[in-house]
Amino acid sequence: MTQDIPKIYDPKQVEDRLYKYWEEHNYFHAEPNEEKEPYTIVIPPPNVTAVLHMGHAYNNAIQDILIRWRRMQGYEALWMPGTDHAGIATQNVVERELLKEGKTRHDVGREEFVKTAWQWSEDRRGEIVNQLKKLGCSCDWERERFTFDEGLSEAVTHVFVSLYEKGLIYKDSYIVNWCPRCATVISDEEVEHEQQEGHLWHIQYPIKDSDDYIVVATTRPETMLGDTGIAVNPDDDRNKDMVGKTVILPILEREMPIIADEYVDPEFGTGMVKVTPAHDPNDFEMGNRHDLAQINVLNDDATMNENAGPYEGMDRFECREKLVEDLEEQGFLVETEKYENRVGHCYRCHTIVEPSISDQWFVKMEPLAKPAYDAVNDGKIDFYPEKWVKTYNHWLENIRDWCISRQLWWGHRIPAYYCKDCGYMVVARSIPSECEQCGHTEWRQDEDVLDTWFSSWLWPFSTMDWPEETPELQYFYPTNTLVTAQDIIFFWVARMIMAGLEFMDDIPFDSVYFNGIIRDAQGRKMSKSLGNGIDPLEMVEEFSADAVRYSLIVLSTEGQDINLAEENFEIGRNFSNKLWNSFRFVEMQREDEDISHELPDRESWELADRWIVSRLQRVTERYKEALENFKIHEAQDTVHKFFWGEFCDWYLELIKPRLYGEDETARATAMNIAVNVLRETLQLLHPIIPFITEEIWQHLKLDDDPDIITSEFPVAEASLMDDDGESEMNLLQDVIVAIRTMRSEMNVPPSKYAEVFINGAKDGKADLLNSYNSYIANLANLETITIEESVDQPDSSATAVVREMEIFMPLADLIDLGKERERLEKEIEDTKGRLRKAESKLANENFVEKAPADVVAKEREKKSTYQEELKKLQNNYEKLIQLDS
């Protein structure tokens, strides 16, 4: 009943109720169905380490838009949900929790620590699922997975053993990135390099049996304690005669050879570099080429070990300070200069990492990379935006073997077993029964766990119970679309493509959409340290889930970052209110009458009906094309402009005389078309704002109609596209807008009805304008309108030109020209004053340099606004002076 519809839309009374309703009706669940084509998205599994942030809200809103759209198109649409156990991140968080109790993981032991981490992760998974539901995400919750659950763990073990048996996994002593805080190796991609102010120390190394010396420079003097050589370029005429000589390492007095290697840049400094194979990746390679000793001078916690001589036990930076002091005191320090260089930090704890030699497990990546490279570059997988292909290619073209072992307790244990008696190693899916070397039956499993990404790269098929050949795997794989951020192209996207091709012999998805990053209003990345994050659930509570989703899409363009402030969510709330109010207007006119989906006989249609129905077809077509090409913002913008700017602002206004009139046929036609256009608009909007569209649909649908979530998505009908109707309506709109603009510029009160003359209406324009002069009169507040091929301009008339026609509006009976001139003069002076104040502020260098960036930006925006206002006021004043002269 109309009287039961609230005047103001209250999302708190709607969203939880409707989500529960959808779940009860099992609308999110998908099953293999040979009668339908599948459409599948696997969620980028959020880490269980924290609640979701605004970036997750944006990413999942896009996924939900795509899955709801495809579901309505008739696909068997599966959105596979799940979470990631996030090895190093989760371990760090759980260790911090233990520290609050005064304990370390070693105090509780491995087994108890893993139990604690399991309980902690299960609690967080529940919170994450609740957040996704609050956002309206229509995931198939019956299929929720976790990268550490039993099935996925089996897949991880299967892959490790398979790759090992193919010779693609190996264990070796190699230089890796070591995080002293996390006490584990991290991959190259997990190292974040930052520009940092430091020093370059120039140190002299004595040449053996000579009074001469050489000079080398370093940014990490503490590592010189592990030097085992000096290198020069073989083509460097300055230094090539030095090759073969021996130098003495200062402080420790170790003898080292001078070698020739093409890696050395002869243009840098003296053309001589120290070689520290155990603490620099390039030196490691050089050392291997020249059989140099590898001397590690650091413990795992970044204190100096016994190889550091008198500095043993010191922290690395304490050692640096003392060593530089000793070098200077003993005459070895030549120069210290300020130097800025890129320093690697752990992506999780932000500790400076140390290159270090360690026994680790690796995956040979080159054999896996080539098929993955071809899959994207041959067009089997499309990237949106396409620019990210270049980044993808660069990584694959320069790929290095992947270090997959981590010195953690939380994660998949490496399935390598060592005989406790003879040390023989076996890689197997389960603990061996007997050692084939010595017959012993007791085994020790490798202590290390696998990199988190080693389970994540299997996500598109492991979630469907691979390696079992399940019906789900056969039907839903390969999946269709991956929506993710560009910063994990290397970590995840490329590796998933490799895994899919290696283990499924097929691509994991055919399209990847890279969404932008959410930044604050000043363009800074949101972070805990800056305290500039925005909690999506708080915004849902304040504005609604629909408002959050809608606003994020409004602010986005294809793949670009979003600068976001809390007030931006008013965009979505305002649109929801507009949608609700337009629905209430239509519903009040409907008076509980069932409106058929069949459009009325076209003989009863007016121009406005032909136009709005035709425009709906164009919008439906553009919307579909936009989503097919992952132009999510364009799809939203298209339907927004149609609904607000055409349906509400024009069509509903144009049909009011028919709705309130006595011609029942005319009223029924207008009512039918209004309801059906609104219904289809709701369907277009549903993937973006699911809650309010379902709520309104429940009022407008017929008894045998499905709920909007499973209704058939609109398809543009060419037979309803009307080029002539749109062209004719556009002419009427141009005329109406021109008259409204004149009224606004001349400050004509809305309550006063004007008289208008249109001159030069040729080529059938007069017939059209006369036929629909009621449209013009009603929407432009006119008392009379005269339309002729030739009309003289009345005295004191405002004028406009539209399509070579002149429009005259006499002002004598509408406004007091003298008073209007005085009003404009005052407004011009006031605006000039505000502009001068803004210009004065911006001319103050102290203000521009010291005020917060957003304050300066707002002042610049004020200046621009005042300039535009002044220009309009002066233009209107000039027009008024001409009329009054």
Side-chain angles (χ1 to χ4, degrees), residues 272-291:
M272 292 187 169
V273 298
K274 67 188 202 66
V275 185
T276 319
H279 294 288
D280 183 275
N282 295 309
D283 291 4
F284 176 80
E285 298 291 349
M286 259 199 294
N288 283 345
R289 287 194 291 270
H290 298 276
D291 200 26

Side-chain angles (χ1 to χ4, degrees), residues 597-876:
H597 291 289
E598 289 286 327
L599 292 174
D601 192 321
R602 292 200 202 184
E603 290 182 5
S604 66
W605 291 20
E606 286 190 5
L607 174 60
D609 304 325
R610 292 164 51 203
W611 167 74
I612 198 66
V613 170
S614 181
R615 289 295 304 132
L616 178 60
Q617 309 316 305
R618 311 272 187 208
V619 166
T620 301
E621 187 173 56
R622 282 188 60 195
Y623 185 99
K624 176 175 174 285
E625 289 172 359
L627 284 190
E628 285 176 343
N629 289 285
F630 297 93
K631 295 181 178 179
I632 317 292
H633 168 79
E634 186 178 308
Q636 171 274 324
D637 190 54
T638 297
V639 69
H640 176 104
K641 287 175 178 174
F642 168 76
F643 169 73
W644 198 311
E646 294 180 317
F647 181 70
C648 293
D649 288 355
W650 288 95
Y651 186 70
L652 292 184
E653 295 301 319
L654 286 168
I655 65 172
K656 282 180 179 177
R658 283 189 280 168
L659 295 179
Y660 302 148
E662 296 182 1
D663 185 333
E664 192 53 42
T665 300
R667 181 191 175 283
T669 297
M671 193 72 252
N672 178 293
I673 291 176
V675 169
N676 277 300
V677 169
L678 180 55
R679 281 174 179 153
E680 290 201 18
T681 304
L682 291 172
Q683 290 175 296
L684 295 176
L685 287 167
H686 177 74
I688 306 171
I689 45 175
F691 292 108
I692 190 171
T693 50
E694 184 74 87
E695 181 71 1
I696 295 173
W697 179 269
Q698 296 298 324
H699 290 278
L700 294 178
K701 76 184 188 80
L702 300 177
D703 289 342
D704 56 351
D705 284 345
D707 295 322
I708 197 170
I709 189 175
T710 56
S711 66
E712 185 177 341
F713 200 78
V715 177
E717 294 184 40
S719 62
L720 294 175
M721 295 180 184
D722 189 337
D723 293 340
D724 290 341
E726 289 187 48
S727 176
E728 291 168 1
M729 188 65 196
N730 287 343
L731 174 60
L732 290 169
Q733 288 174 308
D734 288 347
V735 170
I736 293 166
V737 168
I739 298 170
R740 285 173 165 177
T741 301
M742 284 191 290
R743 293 181 65 110
S744 174
E745 289 176 346
M746 295 297 114
N747 203 30
V748 176
S751 59
K752 290 198 173 183
Y753 286 83
E755 183 180 16
V756 161
F757 299 85
I758 298 180
N759 176 49
K762 303 175 183 177
D763 305 323
K765 291 176 184 172
D767 290 341
L768 173 66
L769 296 177
N770 277 310
S771 296
Y772 290 98
N773 62 13
S774 62
Y775 285 11
I776 303 171
N778 288 336
L779 269 62
N781 274 25
L782 301 183
E783 187 171 7
T784 62
I785 177 169
T786 303
I787 304 163
E788 300 288 351
E789 190 169 328
S790 178
V791 176
D792 292 331
Q793 179 177 355
D795 293 336
S796 300
S797 294
T799 64
V801 178
V802 173
R803 311 268 190 105
E804 299 179 343
M805 298 181 295
E806 292 180 294
I807 304 175
F808 307 129
M809 185 171 69
L811 296 172
D813 296 332
L814 298 175
I815 60 173
D816 184 322
L817 295 177
K819 285 185 178 179
E820 181 60 18
R821 186 175 66 248
E822 290 174 5
R823 183 188 71 81
L824 285 172
E825 287 171 349
K826 184 176 184 307
E827 275 204 50
I828 287 170
E829 286 307 309
D830 289 347
T831 305
K832 282 181 177 178
R834 289 192 291 270
L835 178 59
R836 280 193 298 270
K837 187 176 178 181
E839 288 175 333
S840 175
K841 266 192 178 182
L842 293 170
N844 183 340
E845 290 184 8
N846 196 42
F847 168 75
V848 173
E849 290 174 5
K850 295 184 177 179
D854 59 329
V855 173
V856 176
K858 283 180 182 177
E859 205 60 38
R860 288 197 175 109
E861 189 178 333
K862 280 184 189 177
K863 177 186 171 183
S864 178
T865 301
Y866 297 151
Q867 286 173 330
E868 190 63 32
E869 287 177 359
L870 184 61
K871 185 178 177 181
K872 288 180 181 177
L873 287 167
Q874 289 172 333
N875 183 49
N876 293 345

Side-chain angles (χ1 to χ4, degrees), residues 179-445:
C179 174
R181 157 63 185 81
C182 298
T184 182
V185 64
I186 59 175
S187 69
D188 292 341
E189 292 77 28
E190 292 168 322
V191 177
E192 295 180 344
H193 289 89
E194 298 176 6
Q195 288 296 121
Q196 193 165 303
E197 282 286 343
H199 293 89
L200 189 62
W201 287 274
H202 297 260
I203 304 165
Q204 64 181 29
Y205 287 48
I207 298 174
K208 184 180 179 183
D209 299 328
S210 168
D211 292 333
D212 293 333
Y213 56 84
I214 64 166
V215 176
V216 296
T218 180
T219 58
R220 300 159 64 217
E222 67 278 7
T223 64
M224 69 178 283
L225 301 172
D227 287 358
T228 56
I230 299 292
V232 301
N233 190 291
D235 298 323
D236 185 353
D237 291 335
R238 295 173 303 167
N239 296 317
K240 62 183 181 183
D241 291 341
M242 302 292 291
V243 176
K245 293 186 177 182
T246 299
V247 297
I248 308 297
L249 177 67
I251 308 295
L252 296 186
E253 300 184 347
R254 182 164 56 241
E255 294 186 2
M256 307 184 301
I258 298 178
I259 61 172
D261 196 284
E262 291 182 350
Y263 166 76
V264 180
D265 180 4
E267 302 300 320
F268 182 75
T270 61
M272 292 187 169
V273 298
K274 67 188 202 66
V275 185
T276 319
H279 294 288
D280 183 275
N282 295 309
D283 291 4
F284 176 80
E285 298 291 349
M286 259 199 294
N288 283 345
R289 287 194 291 270
H290 298 276
D291 200 26
L292 297 179
Q294 299 171 347
I295 301 177
N296 177 21
V297 298
L298 287 166
N299 294 312
D300 286 350
D301 62 357
T303 57
M304 310 307 292
N305 66 19
E306 68 278 5
N307 293 325
Y311 308 100
E312 182 180 0
M314 291 184 184
D315 173 77
R316 54 182 164 166
F317 300 120
E318 180 189 356
C319 170
R320 177 182 296 180
E321 188 176 333
K322 181 69 170 86
L323 177 58
V324 168
E325 183 183 307
D326 291 346
L327 289 169
E328 184 172 22
E329 187 178 293
Q330 296 180 36
F332 293 114
L333 185 63
V334 177
E335 180 188 358
T336 302
E337 63 174 301
K338 288 186 177 180
Y339 190 77
E340 188 175 278
N341 64 332
R342 282 164 53 80
V343 178
H345 293 74
C346 174
Y347 79 117
R348 278 296 169 192
C349 67
H350 212 62
T351 301
I352 294 177
V353 299
E354 287 290 344
S356 180
I357 290 177
S358 177
D359 286 341
Q360 301 292 338
W361 290 90
F362 297 86
V363 177
K364 289 182 182 177
M365 297 300 280
E366 199 169 321
L368 301 173
K370 180 64 168 64
Y373 180 93
D374 292 341
V376 171
N377 289 276
D378 291 347
K380 293 178 182 174
I381 300 174
D382 294 317
F383 280 9
Y384 301 88
E386 191 179 4
K387 66 179 181 180
W388 293 112
V389 172
K390 186 176 180 181
T391 303
Y392 175 85
N393 287 347
H394 177 76
W395 187 68
L396 289 181
E397 288 164 354
N398 298 277
I399 200 160
R400 297 173 61 180
D401 285 356
W402 175 16
C403 180
I404 56 172
S405 47
R406 298 291 182 271
Q407 289 63 54
L408 304 171
W409 287 355
W410 174 248
H412 299 94
R413 284 280 289 273
I414 288 174
Y417 303 90
Y418 305 87
C419 174
K420 286 187 176 181
D421 188 55
C422 70
Y424 180 67
M425 185 190 77
V426 175
V427 170
R429 290 173 176 81
S430 59
I431 300 175
S433 57
E434 183 179 290
C435 176
E436 62 183 60
Q437 295 289 312
C438 68
H440 203 72
T441 57
E442 291 188 25
W443 297 85
R444 173 182 63 82
Q445 187 173 356

Side-chain angles (χ1 to χ4, degrees), residues 510-665:
D510 55 44
S511 54
V512 183
Y513 178 76
F514 295 102
N515 59 261
I517 294 170
I518 303 287
R519 301 183 180 277
D520 70 9
Q522 299 177 44
R524 301 174 302 175
K525 195 170 182 178
M526 291 184 174
S527 68
K528 288 181 181 177
S529 59
L530 289 174
N532 61 347
I534 300 175
D535 186 332
L537 280 201
E538 287 182 7
M539 297 302 100
V540 167
E541 179 68 19
E542 183 174 353
F543 296 98
S544 81
D546 285 335
V548 169
R549 294 163 63 116
Y550 196 81
S551 302
L552 290 171
I553 301 304
V554 167
L555 295 169
S556 69
T557 51
E558 188 187 5
Q560 299 300 307
D561 293 351
I562 296 175
N563 289 359
L564 185 69
E566 289 189 16
E567 56 264 28
N568 290 139
F569 294 109
E570 292 174 8
I571 297 169
R573 181 165 62 188
N574 291 343
F575 185 80
S576 293
N577 290 339
K578 182 72 173 180
L579 182 61
W580 186 257
N581 290 337
S582 67
F583 151 65
R584 285 191 79 252
F585 169 77
V586 170
E587 188 70 353
M588 286 166 67
Q589 310 312 313
R590 187 167 72 96
E591 297 176 349
D592 298 326
E593 173 189 353
D594 282 343
I595 303 294
S596 168
H597 291 289
E598 289 286 327
L599 292 174
D601 192 321
R602 292 200 202 184
E603 290 182 5
S604 66
W605 291 20
E606 286 190 5
L607 174 60
D609 304 325
R610 292 164 51 203
W611 167 74
I612 198 66
V613 170
S614 181
R615 289 295 304 132
L616 178 60
Q617 309 316 305
R618 311 272 187 208
V619 166
T620 301
E621 187 173 56
R622 282 188 60 195
Y623 185 99
K624 176 175 174 285
E625 289 172 359
L627 284 190
E628 285 176 343
N629 289 285
F630 297 93
K631 295 181 178 179
I632 317 292
H633 168 79
E634 186 178 308
Q636 171 274 324
D637 190 54
T638 297
V639 69
H640 176 104
K641 287 175 178 174
F642 168 76
F643 169 73
W644 198 311
E646 294 180 317
F647 181 70
C648 293
D649 288 355
W650 288 95
Y651 186 70
L652 292 184
E653 295 301 319
L654 286 168
I655 65 172
K656 282 180 179 177
R658 283 189 280 168
L659 295 179
Y660 302 148
E662 296 182 1
D663 185 333
E664 192 53 42
T665 300

Side-chain angles (χ1 to χ4, degrees), residues 41-75:
I41 295 177
V42 290
I43 197 171
N47 290 350
V48 293
T49 48
V51 293
L52 302 186
H53 54 64
M54 195 55 74
H56 290 112
Y58 176 44
N59 173 268
N60 285 287
I62 293 171
Q63 292 178 78
D64 198 43
I65 287 168
L66 295 172
I67 211 77
R68 285 178 182 271
W69 170 54
R70 291 301 194 185
R71 187 184 289 124
M72 292 172 74
Q73 283 189 318
Y75 289 83

